[in-house]
Amino acid sequence: MINELLKEGALILILASGVRLATPYLFAALGEMIGQRSGVLNLGVDGTMMLSAFTAFYVTFASGSLALGVLVGVLTGGLMGLIMAVVSVTMRAEQGISGIGLHLFGLGMSNLLFRLSLGAISTVEGFRPLSVPILSDLPVIGAVFFRHNVLVYLAFVLVPVAWVVLFRTPLGLKIRAVGENPQAADTLGVSVTGIRYLCVIIGGMMSGLAGTYLSIGLNNMYVDNITNGMGWIAVALVYFGRWHPWGVLAGSLLFSVVNALQIWVQVRGIAIPYEFAVMMPYVLTIVALAFAVRRAQQPAALSKPYERAEA
Amino acid sequence: MATARPGIITSLEMCGIVKRFPGVLANDGVDFDVRAGEVHALLGENGAGKSTLMKILYGLYQPDAGEILLNGRPLNIASPAQAIRLGIGMIHQHFMLIPPLTVAENVIIGLPSSRRIFVDTDRAARRISELADAYGLQVDPRAFVWQLAVGEQQRVEIIKALYRGADLLILDEPTAVLTPQEVDELFATLRQMKQNGHALIFITHKLHEVMAISDRVTVLRDGRVVGRVATQDTDEAALARMMVGRDVIRTWEKPAITPGQVLLSVEDLEAQSDKGTPALKRVSLEVREGEIVGIAGVSGNGQRELAEAITGLRPVTGGRVIIADRDVTNCSPAEVLAAGLSFIPEGRMTMGVIKEFSVWENAILETHAQPPLARGMFLDFKRIADHTRRLIGDYEVKTPSQETPVKNLSGGNIQKLILARELSRAPKVLVAAQPTRGVDVGATEYIHRRLIEQRSQGTATLLISEDLDEIMALSDRIAVMYEGQIMGVVRGDEASPEQLGLLMAGVRS
């Protein structure tokens, strides 16, 4: 097995597949990270991804327009984010519970709409790979990074964008302030509610992009439970990445490369029980989380609703 | 953002301010005013309505009635953002800082940047340094706030307000966490600001500070103004009478007692903070029968960890704790209690009581499983009721009934209930952490009297307090903690605030 793995072709295959698989995690985890930085824990990522995966797929299927599909997928995610914001920011509901509720809503809704509208598995012509001139001809690196579709590139570009926004702009400063000490932000004239709405809605839109990528960028079809728990892993990756865009990138890549590896192991028919192969990435996540994360690093006001104290 | 700045603030008046909270009339027709170039002290007990009035001025609360006049023109302050635009700044009692951010970042949160969509921390840092030089507020703009000492954090708070162009500054109990020397530095800054034409509102319940810094004093009691005088026409005793409504006992006669055997002994004690850093570094001290030993120090120098290590709530990583000749190092809290310790924790609502529980349930938290309160495996409700009635009566706990949830009582009454529960167990050793923090003057007086009575009965008391006046009034000996070490031990009757202040700042004399 090791010999086979060391062949250049196999390695490139696994790494390129890892980059593709990292895309939904990146979208969803970066979005979730922004929400958490503002102090809102949204556990509805998985359900949001499913619903967006369906709406994006359906619109593309019906209209033939990928752009329209992406737009609707993102808007669906934004709407799910808005619901989360209303419940958790305005109504100050327990965030963990409302997020699980949102997830279940997305899960049920996407299944229902799928039954009502399509009923059977259908396929669309999804995004095609777009080779980046010059860069895609580089040995190894070209094949691993620069022969993917536009959504993959977008996901990776969003990493530095998220970093700049969070750490180099007044907006990012406000977001971090609200997530660490909403009272302090409030006394400085920052709208805690406004910032949290913004972040949770953006987070929802990015979960929407993650779902959209699954149905019209990766699989080119829609099936029940298309996310297979990816949204939950994305939440874990935020912790793994210590609420930092580069950390989220590292976590997403590590996780998806291991995932690509186990798929390769299965495809090659190597004699490891397949259940064990499937388990690998998840075991890795749990182990990494146990060692990588200390509570002290999370935004201090994470999952705490804000209210100006009365009396 | 359209509100135009109506020029420099020359005067501000609040007229007939009324603010109701469910069940409480926090401000009942309060008049208050401040002019440029003066310090106006707002004096009152906890719960008198000082903070509420100032939160109205800062736009955090809306008044139910009354009006605010700025430079003689009435206006409505709808939000902190608007207050800031008008030139009003507030230094909150609990600092409004974000520890993982730098000083400069904390200062510019919410402000538009000169570099449009990007932050400009360099420019902010220069401006901060200018302000720091002008007002004696030395602080490194690039340091992270979590690295700063408490006094420095307060300077950041003041810079935050000045950076936003505040003409009028509200300081809510700004000295509560400072050493005496830091208080002097703060006062120097405030005098400088006064000279430069700032209007300052100084909220406090400490009388000597009012006398030291203010030009005028307004005294609030139960939400009403009970007096307004020029500081030079009054004295501390008169202000205390106004604040409390009667004469106040401010010094205690302690009966002379010769301390007996050592009841609490701490030897080379080491423990870690919540973050895993060393919090206690080989702390040794003894408390004898009939003695009160005070632990002074600025908050966060290991006092909480010391109390928790002694009481079995925090693992001891080195050294020993001995209570009445029994080694209780790393014993469970139950074992430590059984050895003869009583504990008044600093977190009254979190560690002292279960706030949803009723008065009687809280009264028996430690003794409910032992006779006479328990009969076999059942509670004896009649005896519990008798026991609770006795505690309520003996310790003057004001409560509508034994069934009332403790969270509905005032801070002073909750503290009296804790005191009753702890002292009724006739402790050999008492650890009292911040026993009067946030408690009104009446209850403070009562608690102090009880602690002195306990001393007469032979209890060895370790009194941990950030209130230097309290430490000096009660202690036979005073140990000062700084960064997890005992800097020195002074006799209570020989200690001066200056000497203690230096030790609190880590300067060994």
Side-chain angles (χ1 to χ4, degrees):
Chain A
M1 171 186 162
I2 298 293
N3 281 339
E4 274 190 73
L5 189 59
L6 286 179
K7 283 180 201 157
E8 193 185 299
L11 208 57
I12 288 175
L13 210 67
I14 290 168
L15 292 178
S17 151
V19 165
R20 268 195 305 281
L21 289 175
T23 301
Y25 294 120
L26 269 181
F27 280 133
L30 287 174
E32 176 69 11
M33 179 194 74
I34 290 170
Q36 291 199 12
R37 277 284 188 170
S38 78
V40 181
L41 172 74
N42 181 358
L43 292 179
V45 178
D46 205 54
T48 305
M49 283 173 68
M50 279 190 218
L51 193 58
S52 282
F54 173 77
T55 58
F57 179 84
Y58 182 76
V59 167
T60 307
F61 182 79
S63 72
S65 163
L66 284 169
L68 208 57
V70 172
L71 181 69
V72 170
V74 169
L75 288 180
T76 305
L79 198 65
M80 291 289 273
L82 178 65
I83 295 172
M84 182 67 194
V86 170
V87 173
S88 67
V89 180
T90 304
M91 290 154 82
R92 300 189 186 90
E94 166 64 42
Q95 292 178 6
I97 303 301
S98 41
I100 291 172
L102 189 73
H103 161 69
L104 293 172
F105 170 73
L107 173 75
M109 201 64 183
S110 54
N111 284 349
L112 176 69
L113 292 174
F114 177 54
R115 299 269 177 290
L116 290 177
S117 58
L118 300 169
I121 293 173
S122 331
T123 58
V124 292
E125 177 87 7
F127 281 97
R128 289 215 193 116
L130 206 70
S131 289
V132 180
I134 304 168
L135 291 178
S136 61
D137 297 330
L138 292 173
V140 185
I141 292 176
V144 172
F145 286 109
F146 297 108
R147 292 177 202 166
H148 297 290
N149 70 42
V150 64
L151 291 179
V152 178
Y153 300 136
L154 176 63
F156 280 82
V157 166
L158 283 177
V159 176
V161 169
W163 181 81
V164 168
V165 170
L166 271 182
F167 297 104
R168 287 291 179 271
T169 67
L171 176 65
L173 197 54
K174 285 189 209 172
I175 292 172
R176 288 184 290 146
V178 167
E180 289 290 341
N181 188 347
Q183 229 182 333
D186 191 13
T187 58
L188 293 173
V190 175
S191 164
V192 175
T193 306
I195 291 287
R196 288 191 166 171
Y197 262 78
L198 178 74
C199 291
V200 175
I201 290 171
I202 287 176
M205 290 172 126
M206 290 179 66
S207 288
L209 263 175
T212 301
Y213 173 77
L214 288 182
S215 65
I216 63 174
L218 186 67
N219 300 322
N220 297 339
M221 62 179 187
Y222 183 85
V223 292
D224 273 346
N225 194 22
I226 188 170
T227 59
N228 203 8
M230 281 183 184
W232 298 104
I233 298 293
V235 175
L237 287 174
V238 175
Y239 286 75
F240 177 86
R242 302 180 186 199
W243 296 270
H244 208 284
W246 302 116
V248 166
L249 174 67
S252 301
L253 279 175
L254 178 68
F255 185 78
S256 52
V257 167
V258 173
N259 213 349
L261 180 69
Q262 69 88 7
I263 293 170
W264 179 80
V265 167
Q266 284 189 60
V267 172
R268 301 291 302 180
I270 287 167
I272 297 176
Y274 109 96
E275 291 88 347
F276 181 76
V278 173
M279 257 164 47
M280 262 178 11
Y282 299 95
V283 171
L284 180 78
T285 311
I286 292 170
V287 172
L289 276 178
F291 284 101
V293 179
R294 269 187 260 133
R295 253 187 102 73
Q297 296 168 325
Q298 70 182 23
L302 182 59
S303 82
K304 291 177 190 149
Y306 176 65
E307 193 167 11
R308 272 184 201 166
E310 293 278 305
Chain B
M1 304 295 282
T3 322
R5 180 79 185 274
I8 301 289
I9 296 177
T10 52
S11 73
L12 183 130
E13 284 171 78
M14 302 178 80
C15 307
I17 300 292
V18 176
K19 179 68 183 173
R20 281 183 203 89
F21 291 117
V24 190
L25 188 53
N27 284 162
D28 185 6
V30 175
D31 296 329
F32 185 78
D33 75 292
V34 64
R35 294 182 288 260
E38 75 161 352
V39 178
H40 193 157
L42 187 55
L43 179 70
E45 292 215 57
N46 291 295
K50 307 179 303 261
S51 288
T52 302
L53 186 69
M54 290 302 116
K55 283 179 175 170
I56 288 170
L57 181 53
Y58 195 60
L60 282 162
Y61 297 158
Q62 296 309 309
D64 297 320
E67 67 175 349
I68 299 174
L69 305 171
L70 192 67
N71 296 346
R73 291 218 316 268
L75 53 77
N76 175 37
I77 302 175
S79 68
Q82 194 192 344
I84 292 167
R85 280 198 301 278
L86 293 169
I88 300 171
M90 183 157 179
I91 311 301
H92 297 264
Q93 191 178 356
H94 305 288
F95 295 156
M96 295 290 173
L97 294 171
I98 295 155
L101 303 187
T102 65
V103 169
E105 285 178 320
N106 266 283
V107 169
I108 60 176
I109 291 165
L111 292 176
S113 168
S114 54
R115 285 171 63 204
R116 291 168 186 278
I117 67 160
F118 295 108
V119 289
D120 191 350
T121 36
D122 292 338
R123 197 176 158 132
R126 279 198 302 277
R127 176 93 184 101
I128 289 168
S129 297
E130 285 167 25
L131 286 170
D133 290 341
Y135 291 97
L137 296 161
Q138 289 326 317
V139 64
D140 175 7
R142 288 169 213 289
F144 287 96
V145 164
W146 58 264
Q147 297 170 317
L148 303 183
V150 176
E152 291 177 294
Q153 294 189 11
Q154 185 168 62
R155 285 179 228 152
V156 179
E157 283 285 44
I158 296 174
I159 288 172
K160 255 164 73 179
L162 293 176
Y163 194 94
R164 287 169 165 71
D167 297 326
L168 189 162
L169 208 60
I170 305 162
L171 298 118
D172 190 357
E173 309 225 357
T175 60
V177 294
L178 303 182
T179 65
Q181 281 79 11
E182 285 173 323
V183 171
D184 291 342
E185 287 169 29
L186 172 69
F187 282 3
T189 297
L190 297 186
R191 289 195 187 99
Q192 180 66 50
M193 293 173 67
K194 190 172 101 171
Q195 278 201 340
N196 290 13
H198 290 274
L200 301 169
I201 302 173
F202 189 92
I203 305 177
T204 187
H205 59 255
K206 294 186 188 164
L207 303 166
H208 57 264
E209 292 177 354
V210 173
M211 299 307 296
I213 190 71
S214 71
D215 301 297
R216 286 193 293 158
V217 198
T218 293
V219 185
L220 278 186
R221 190 168 76 225
D222 298 330
R224 282 181 212 184
V225 175
V226 291
R228 175 169 300 131
V229 286
T231 309
Q232 61 195 20
D233 300 337
T234 187
D235 59 34
E236 290 191 29
L239 289 174
R241 214 174 301 120
M242 267 194 261
M243 180 164 88
V244 184
R246 59 180 168 79
D247 283 315
V248 180
I249 303 166
R250 311 197 43 241
T251 49
W252 291 95
E253 289 300 317
K254 285 182 297 193
I257 294 177
T258 314
Q261 67 187 84
V262 175
L263 289 180
L264 171 66
S265 168
V266 170
E267 297 168 11
D268 292 330
L269 196 65
E270 295 184 345
Q272 296 187 331
S273 72
D274 294 342
K275 290 178 184 155
T277 54
L280 297 178
K281 301 166 191 162
R282 298 177 68 92
V283 170
S284 296
L285 58 87
E286 287 182 342
V287 189
R288 292 173 176 269
E289 191 181 351
E291 188 183 37
I292 297 179
V293 173
I295 300 281
V298 176
S299 158
N301 275 292
Q303 298 97 315
R304 186 165 62 89
E305 287 83 357
L306 176 64
E308 292 181 359
I310 291 173
T311 51
L313 292 164
R314 180 173 294 267
V316 171
T317 53
R320 297 201 299 165
V321 178
I322 294 157
I323 290 175
D325 295 326
R326 258 193 68 191
D327 189 332
V328 294
T329 315
N330 281 327
C331 284
S332 72
E335 290 169 304
V336 180
L337 296 183
L341 177 117
S342 278
F343 181 35
I344 300 171
E346 69 170 83
R348 183 159 54 232
M349 300 307 280
T350 51
M351 289 176 77
V353 293
I354 300 174
K355 58 181 194 252
E356 280 76 20
F357 273 25
S358 66
V359 168
W360 71 262
E361 284 169 316
N362 273 292
I364 61 166
L365 279 181
E366 287 149 344
T367 45
H368 63 272
Q370 300 152 10
L373 301 182
R375 217 174 16 190
M377 53 183 291
F378 295 98
L379 295 173
D380 185 334
F381 288 102
K382 193 179 164 311
R383 286 204 176 124
I384 289 171
D386 289 342
H387 175 71
T388 309
R389 192 174 311 118
R390 208 161 44 239
L391 292 189
I392 292 174
D394 287 355
Y395 289 82
E396 302 171 14
V397 181
K398 283 185 207 125
T399 173
S401 79
Q402 293 192 14
E403 298 292 337
T404 308
V406 156
K407 64 179 177 192
N408 293 355
L409 306 188
S410 75
N413 280 305
I414 294 172
Q415 196 68 333
K416 283 185 192 169
L417 178 64
I418 295 172
L419 199 71
R421 183 183 73 208
E422 295 303 320
L423 297 187
S424 66
R425 292 169 44 238
K428 296 196 182 90
V429 176
L430 172 67
V431 174
Q434 321 294 351
T436 60
R437 174 145 77 191
V439 164
D440 60 66
V441 171
T444 298
E445 234 178 67
Y446 182 86
I447 291 166
H448 286 172
R449 196 172 82 224
R450 280 287 183 171
L451 291 179
I452 287 169
E453 275 174 27
Q454 209 64 33
R455 172 178 173 273
S456 303
Q457 288 166 23
T459 301
T461 302
L462 187 68
L463 170 68
I464 300 174
S465 176
E466 284 153 28
D467 182 344
L468 214 47
D469 298 338
E470 174 171 83
I471 290 272
M472 293 185 43
L474 297 180
S475 308
D476 298 297
R477 288 186 298 138
I478 300 169
V480 181
M481 281 192 83
Y482 174 74
E483 292 194 341
Q485 293 175 316
I486 303 243
M487 294 302 292
V489 181
V490 204
R491 281 179 55 108
D493 47 14
E494 292 170 357
S496 70
E498 291 71 29
Q499 181 191 12
L500 295 175
L502 284 173
L503 291 169
M504 284 162 75
V507 182
R508 238 183 266 263
S509 40

